[in-house]
Amino acid sequence: MRSFMVNDRPVTVDVPDEMPLLWVLRDELGLTGAKYGCGRSLCGACTVTVDGQPTRSCVTPVAAVDGKLVVTVEGLEADRTAAAVQDAWVRLAVVQCGYCQPGQIVSAVALLRANATPSDADIDAAMNGCVCRCGTYLRIRAAIHEAARVLAA
Amino acid sequence: LTRSRKRVAGADDAGRRRFLQHSGALTLGFYLSPTALLSGRALAQAPAAQSTPMVFEPNAFVRIRTDGSVTVIAKYLEMGQGVFTGLATLLAEELDADWNDVFVEGAPADVTRYINSALGMQGTGDSTSMASAWQQMRQAGATARAMLVAAAAQQWNVPIDSITVSNGVVAHLASERRTRFGFLTPAAAALPVPATVTLKDPAQFKLIGSPLLGRKDSRAKTRGSALFTQDLKLPDMLIAVAAHPVRFGASVTSFDATAAKAIPGVVDVVQFPGDAYRPGGVAALAANTWIAKQGRDALQIQWDESQASHAGSDDILARYRSLAQLPAATDTAAASTAAPDPVASTTAAAGTAAPAAPLPVSVARSSGDASVFRSGQLQWVEALYELPYLAHAALEPMNCLVQLTTQDVSIWNGEQLQTADQQAIGKFLGMAPEQVHITPLYAGGSFGRRGNPHADYVLEAVAIAQAAAAAGHRVPIKLVWTREDDMHAGYYRPAFVHAIRAGLDASGALVAWQQRSVGQSVLAGSPFASQISDGVDPSSVEGSAEPYPIANLRIELITPTDVGVPVQWWRAAGHSHTAFATECMIDELACAAGSDPYRFRRGLLASQPRALAVLDLAARRAGWGSPLTANGPQDRRGRGIALHVSFGTCVAEVAEITVGPAGRLQVDRIVCAVDCGMPINPNVIIAQLQGAIAYGLAATLTQAITLVDGVVQQDNFDRYMPLRMAQMPPIEVFIVPSRAAPTGVGDVGTPPIAPAIVNAVFDATGQRIRRLPLAAQVAGVLT
């Protein structure tokens, strides 16, 4: 049995300790925002934050988040930074297939919380682990800058 | 064109008949539409389908409810290309709807209503969506508008032509009366569907061509609420993770599931059959995907490899190179009909080096005088171009949800080829295609993969569901492939070798082009095989030597049938390899003619104003001819250009690159020009071109699927590397203004990028690269 917070909700799950957090979220808790893309921390589609740190949930055993706060894309709804990021994403028409975007959004929000005015190089460094096969990178970069401007205003 | 118009009219007639049948039976002409019924039963995704059953549905493509919401029924798969937004734009334009009231829903499988006139079936592909829906969706919108206007005229007792519609508001300005669509739907639904409608003059367009129109799927996809097959969960559903053979062609001899079944949470293990185009295997079932994978990994399976392929990709390409050898210039065998096959060692029975029979040479295109190919008067340039197998590697690995009953079967899937999949599933289960219900979900990318010509992963899901039902599990079954399953499953872009000999006359004009292409057929053995004509699969040769007018032309094709690696169309299908060979050779010819690559192409395209305009636009915006400044003393910079026409759309791309110390290659900038007819959504077009270039860049630089002794060497994104953000160059896209009918944009950005990069490497270094990917030949690529 492992207990932790997911978004604003305390949860207790009875699953093997080594089950990756991704599958606990998706298949046990019904939170399907975080996506499976590679299972080996190579694509970033599964990114959530654990105590504020961007984390690849596909390689994080559930035991490792015991007692911690996990935030998924679903938990970003009411947050000011997240709203700025999501609005910028919509305004700049970033998404294509959309499958990677929850991981991109969670990573972008974590970046802006740590660095309110990221440079292109900062963005590349923070986002390089999030693969987009549709190739939306230029708009992701522009949307992060846009969100930073909105948040600074 | 005639064919397409006829089909569109037929679909409209069918819509009208259904409307009249239903409206005759129900008060005020309302009825619960079949699509609403299906989605209502399927999942609660359709907006309020059951709570507000009163719907004005003048045709198969639009439903307007009393709350004023306009639901556009999208017959094409949204896999990222923006087709939901594009289809809605066309319909809403003619309806004069308020864009904010417009919602989009995927259409069920129903070929009578949702045929793609360009493909002759229901399905999405070949960048046909906007071209084939251009008239149909606008007519559907105009029809609904005409009925709403007629209803308002009737209610207000004013002439029809005194009514205006704008942003979802219907008005009679003289009497200052206004109303919204929702209030008119009961009256509109009681009216007959007009036989003809008048479409707007393009000058009146408000939505079509607007750079401000956002995508309809943006909000859900940024919130994580957009529903992919990976996300859909039905009550009692079990996840199936399947074990496949390591080598293509192997089958299950026996298996031991003891260890798998001992894992807590593994519900059962079932064996499922394969067919000639799909391996059978064994699947573990569990409510949790990870548990199912643990179960699958614990299976002990004995495989029968007597029919397995031991092909190695190096051997395959070596054989292709040998087969592609063109007859020497002095050889009278220029019109040969068979090519000697060098080796039999790549065939299924490894090591049995029996002499192989010659392979037939088919002629795909031929014009002019064949004797020119033996002319000693021409300056000949000869080269051989080589491209590897490629995986699609959509970020959502293949998956499919199946609910089987004794009467029918329901499928939830990022569904790309409804009609073919219905037929394949119906045949497998002994059902009629109409008993196969398909609900489309968003696809997390496809790049062609979800439209498998043999319905491979869809049939696998059905086969597992059938085996599960036989074992007593009559529950929804979702097949989920891991990334490794997806990458190992085959259906790659076929490897190809193109040998080209081209001749310049004394003035440097291109007058002869002889090409021999070698590669597997995608269509052979599939329901699409009837498109193969005289031994030529059009998807093997499309785009070769195009769009250049060449007086003496001969394009030959050799199609090995014994290779044993499953192949499928990839982004831009055959153009993905033919454009590389063509545009590299054009560059080599320019060099041989002592001409600038851009000006050489200009000369060839003098009679083709559209292509010329695209080429000029790309060159001008790129600053073709201006000096490139190097950052460091050891940097060598270069510029390359390529142009290609695919699916009716012309694209030119200029690449700027730097080859740094130790040969490190960096892509600095891409400039792209496109003529896709009338731009429906410029913002989506730019995104598609940028994305297609990024997709093609990864394949240009590093990607290849290789096989050693029949075993695929790439498992995941570490050895099959996608482009990442830090590698994404600036990509500037410029759209040629046009009033011509729109053509596709999903595929077209990919073909020119590889030759543009390779031509830029030549400009920088003088090194001609004729084989993809670059990684093995230019040091430091993407490291």
Side-chain angles (χ1 to χ4, degrees), chain B residues 5 73 343 485 517 551 689 710 742 751:
Chain B
R5 279 201 181 143
I73 313 302
V343 281
D485 295 339
S517 304
L689 272 294

Side-chain angles (χ1 to χ4, degrees), chain A residues 16 18-20 23 26-28 32-33 35-38 40 42-43 45 73-74 77 86-87 89-90 92-93 95-102 105 123-124 127-135 137-141, chain B residues 79-80 215 217-219 221-224 228 230-231 233 287-291 392-393 395-397 443-445 447 481-484 683 686-688 690-691 694-695 703 716-718 722-726 728-729 731:
Chain A
E18 66 272 25
M19 181 182 286
W23 299 111
R26 292 182 56 84
D27 288 3
E28 304 296 322
T32 57
K35 299 290 191 268
Y36 168 79
C38 71
R40 285 180 46 202
L42 296 168
C43 80
V73 70
E74 292 95 338
E77 290 290 313
Q86 286 168 324
D87 287 349
W89 244 249
V90 171
L92 272 63
V95 309
Q96 290 188 30
C97 89
Y99 194 78
C100 73
Q101 297 298 345
I105 296 261
I123 293 172
D124 286 1
M127 306 296 291
N128 214 41
C130 292
V131 167
C132 175
R133 288 291 282 151
C134 302
Y137 300 123
L138 296 173
R139 290 188 184 188
I140 289 175
R141 203 186 281 145
Chain B
M79 47 189 150
R215 285 178 67 116
D217 51 354
S218 279
R219 191 55 79 175
K221 286 178 175 178
T222 55
R223 282 186 177 146
F228 298 87
Q230 194 82 18
D231 303 329
K233 187 173 187 176
N288 180 294
T289 310
W290 182 78
I291 300 278
H392 305 72
L395 200 56
E396 180 185 21
F447 315 111
W481 279 2
T482 64
R483 170 58 52 199
E484 290 81 5
N683 217 3
I686 291 167
Q688 281 307 295
Q690 288 175 335
Y695 193 79
Q703 288 176 343
N716 209 313
F717 291 131
D718 51 349
L723 201 76
R724 291 178 183 273
M725 181 174 272
M728 183 78 173
I731 301 173

Side-chain angles (χ1 to χ4, degrees), chain B residues 286-497:
Chain B
N288 180 294
T289 310
W290 182 78
I291 300 278
K293 180 179 179 297
Q294 300 296 105
R296 187 277 303 269
D297 293 349
L299 289 168
Q300 301 291 318
I301 303 174
Q302 303 301 316
W303 298 98
D304 172 3
E305 293 208 325
S306 61
Q307 302 301 310
S309 168
H310 289 262
S313 45
D314 284 350
D315 297 334
I316 292 169
L317 285 164
R319 179 190 182 204
Y320 287 7
R321 283 193 295 271
S322 175
L323 286 167
Q325 293 302 318
L326 285 162
T330 52
D331 193 334
T332 51
S336 63
T337 56
D341 195 357
V343 281
S345 62
T346 60
T347 56
T352 57
L359 290 183
V361 177
S362 304
V363 179
R365 281 168 65 205
S366 178
S367 59
D369 177 3
S371 70
V372 172
F373 299 126
R374 299 190 296 276
S375 167
Q377 306 301 310
L378 299 181
Q379 180 188 0
W380 291 101
V381 177
E382 185 161 359
L384 187 137
Y385 302 98
E386 189 176 320
L387 300 100
Y389 290 105
L390 291 171
H392 305 72
L395 200 56
E396 180 185 21
M398 296 303 105
N399 46 26
C400 181
L401 203 171
V402 180
Q403 185 162 28
L404 195 57
T405 76
T406 50
Q407 287 84 39
D408 61 5
V409 58
S410 297
I411 305 285
W412 290 263
N413 181 32
E415 178 63 44
Q416 195 167 351
L417 287 180
Q418 285 87 344
T419 308
D421 286 353
Q422 279 182 304
Q423 285 167 355
I425 294 166
K427 188 177 166 198
F428 180 83
L429 292 172
M431 290 181 181
E434 296 75 32
Q435 290 169 283
V436 181
H437 312 295
I438 304 179
T439 303
L441 300 172
Y442 285 127
S446 169
F447 315 111
R449 184 61 180 88
R450 283 189 175 270
N452 182 270
H454 306 282
D456 72 326
Y457 74 91
V458 175
L459 273 183
E460 179 173 308
V462 172
I464 292 170
Q466 189 186 49
H473 309 289
R474 296 201 149 272
V475 296
I477 299 283
K478 178 156 72 177
L479 170 68
V480 172
W481 279 2
T482 64
R483 170 58 52 199
E484 290 81 5
D485 295 339
D486 190 274
M487 204 160 279
H488 292 169
Y491 290 107
Y492 308 122
R493 194 287 302 276
F496 256 84
V497 167

Side-chain angles (χ1 to χ4, degrees), chain B residues 62-155:
Chain B
V62 58
R63 294 199 294 265
I64 304 175
R65 295 195 170 80
T66 48
D67 65 2
S69 66
V70 175
T71 302
V72 173
I73 313 302
K75 65 179 181 175
Y76 296 132
L77 171 66
E78 179 55 75
M79 47 189 150
Q81 81 281 40
V83 75
F84 273 21
T85 304
L87 293 170
T89 304
L90 298 182
L91 192 141
E93 176 69 67
E94 292 290 345
L95 181 58
D96 280 314
D98 181 337
W99 183 244
N100 294 318
D101 291 340
V102 176
F103 302 86
V104 187
E105 189 179 303
D110 180 352
V111 70
T112 59
R113 284 187 293 168
Y114 300 116
I115 191 168
N116 177 338
S117 56
L119 300 182
M121 52 178 277
Q122 188 180 356
T124 311
D126 281 359
S127 285
T128 55
S129 297
M130 286 301 104
S132 64
W134 170 241
Q135 293 288 340
Q136 186 179 40
M137 292 302 282
R138 287 187 302 144
Q139 278 170 0
T143 301
R145 182 189 189 279
M147 293 170 75
L148 291 165
V149 166
Q154 208 170 56
Q155 281 187 6

Side-chain angles (χ1 to χ4, degrees), chain B residues 672-684:
Chain B
C672 169
V674 55
D675 181 346
C676 56
M678 178 167 292
I680 294 168
N681 187 318
N683 217 3
V684 167

Side-chain angles (χ1 to χ4, degrees), chain B residues 10 131 137 184 191 201 241 273 340 347 400 422 433 442 514 531 548 567 583 603 627 651-652 747:
Chain B
M137 292 302 282
L184 292 168
L191 295 171
D201 182 278
V241 177
T347 56
C400 181
Q422 279 182 304
Y442 285 127
Q514 191 179 15
Q531 294 175 33
Y548 305 106
V567 293
E583 283 301 291
V651 179
D747 293 292

